[in-house]
Amino acid sequence: MYRQRLTLPALTLTALTLLPLAVACGNEKGGSTGSSSVGADTEPSVTGVHWTVDSVTVNGTTHQAPDGAHVEIAKNGRATGNYGCNSFHSTAAFKGDRITLSRTLSTEMACEKRPMEFEKTLARALAAGPLTAETGRGKLTLTTAKGDRVHLTEEKDAPLYGTKWTVNSLVGGDVAQSLPAAADGKAWLTFTKKGADKESADKESADKEGADNEVGTVSGSLGCNHVSAKATVRGSHITLGAPRTTRQMCSGSLMTTEKSLLKLFDSTVSYRIDHRSITLTSENGEGIGAIADR
């Protein structure tokens, strides 16, 4: 069973020399319909955006990115992302419509041949020199002095409601533990908000919970048995009701996973969505991590 720290340094890190990935200055003119260079007079900044890498064009040849390749720039100049296999973080410095990454650290995992080949192509493009950034209509293009380009698209966070969240880890403090192989891909949860046309009993229940609450349900699989319960969302917390489950007996590893997931019910957990990932954490620091199905 694989364990890793939730902080990047948990894996072997290596220093890389990478340059511009994205910029974070200024305001884009209201009503602009074309692309614009990112600079002192442009908007919105590319900070706080999950930019999915679509492709890299080098010497006229376009290389399609594998799933998971992305870049995010925080307002404090911290850059994080994934090349398609390995994750990275660095410091970003901005000057006009250009950006430079420094003190970059990357994990060193061996992955399938194609993602590794793409990572080399992307790394070379980013290390070729300061990149000029252009944004427009949810797109970001980073261009080297030689004319090579990295193409990216803004991708919104997955919504809490209606998303199938497939559980991929069990969390304890700052340590995440992957699910047993037998349970991989089998545990999932979906949150549903009750509509205004539900029975009056539901409305009365919502009134009792308070005007700021979103009363709904959660349903899914615990890896073995199906589960459903009431789910009341308020701010960054979800109160999960008593679980209703089927009574099927499964293998030991599946039942162990199920018992861990059941601990979240009949209690209030905090939740956090980061792009297509969600964490549910109980007051004692235990919880789960899950990823949104595409």
Side-chain angles (χ1 to χ4, degrees):
M1 190 176 296
Y2 178 68
R3 294 174 181 262
Q4 78 169 55
R5 288 270 170 188
L6 295 183
T7 52
L8 189 58
L11 297 175
T12 302
L13 300 179
T14 182
L16 301 179
T17 304
L18 295 182
L19 292 175
L21 265 185
V23 322
C25 314
N27 297 320
E28 183 177 80
K29 300 293 184 182
S32 171
T33 57
S35 63
S36 63
S37 296
V38 179
D41 298 321
T42 59
E43 134 163 321
S45 70
V46 300
T47 58
V49 177
H50 182 102
W51 295 104
T52 295
V53 179
D54 299 322
S55 62
V56 179
T57 301
V58 178
N59 296 327
T61 301
T62 298
H63 307 267
Q64 297 299 319
D67 290 342
H70 68 274
V71 176
E72 293 185 63
I73 307 289
K75 290 184 179 180
N76 61 6
R78 177 180 170 84
T80 59
N82 188 285
Y83 298 123
C85 172
N86 284 286
S87 301
F88 71 89
H89 66 77
S90 65
T91 300
F94 314 106
K95 185 175 182 180
D97 61 353
R98 297 185 178 187
I99 180 173
T100 301
L101 290 185
S102 61
R103 297 192 293 276
T104 301
L105 298 175
S106 172
T107 58
E108 286 186 325
M109 295 187 297
C111 302
E112 295 178 4
K113 182 178 179 181
R114 182 174 175 272
M116 295 305 294
E117 291 177 349
F118 179 83
E119 287 197 359
K120 293 177 182 178
T121 301
L122 177 58
R124 290 192 189 105
L126 296 176
L131 302 184
T132 300
E134 291 186 314
T135 60
R137 298 184 179 182
K139 299 287 185 178
L140 171 65
T141 302
L142 305 172
T143 306
T144 70
K146 292 175 55 178
D148 297 333
R149 300 182 302 279
V150 181
H151 306 277
L152 308 97
T153 298
E154 178 181 0
E155 191 167 354
K156 304 292 187 182
D157 287 346
L160 172 64
Y161 294 107
T163 299
K164 182 179 179 181
W165 297 104
T166 299
V167 180
N168 60 1
S169 63
L170 302 177
V171 178
D174 62 349
V175 176
Q177 175 181 311
S178 61
L179 298 185
D184 187 29
K186 295 182 179 179
W188 57 272
L189 298 172
T190 296
F191 294 90
T192 303
K193 186 192 306 184
K194 289 189 176 181
D197 57 347
K198 295 295 183 180
E199 297 178 1
S200 59
D202 294 332
K203 183 178 184 302
E204 290 176 5
S205 177
D207 290 340
K208 291 179 181 179
E209 294 291 345
D212 294 334
N213 292 358
E214 294 286 0
V215 179
T217 60
V218 61
S219 60
S221 170
L222 299 170
C224 175
N225 286 285
H226 290 282
V227 65
S228 64
K230 180 179 176 181
T232 303
V233 179
R234 182 170 187 175
S236 61
H237 291 80
I238 304 175
T239 299
L240 300 173
R244 298 180 294 277
T245 68
T246 55
R247 300 296 182 182
Q248 182 178 347
M249 293 300 296
C250 300
S251 65
S253 59
L254 288 178
M255 296 306 293
T256 298
T257 300
E258 183 164 302
K259 289 178 181 178
S260 296
L261 297 179
L262 281 172
K263 292 179 182 179
L264 297 175
F265 290 85
D266 227 356
S267 69
T268 297
V269 299
S270 61
Y271 81 95
R272 180 176 182 272
I273 295 176
D274 182 7
H275 182 50
R276 302 192 65 80
S277 299
I278 189 173
T279 55
L280 302 178
T281 310
S282 63
E283 291 183 353
N284 64 5
E286 296 183 354
I288 64 169
I291 189 168
D293 280 12
R294 291 189 180 276

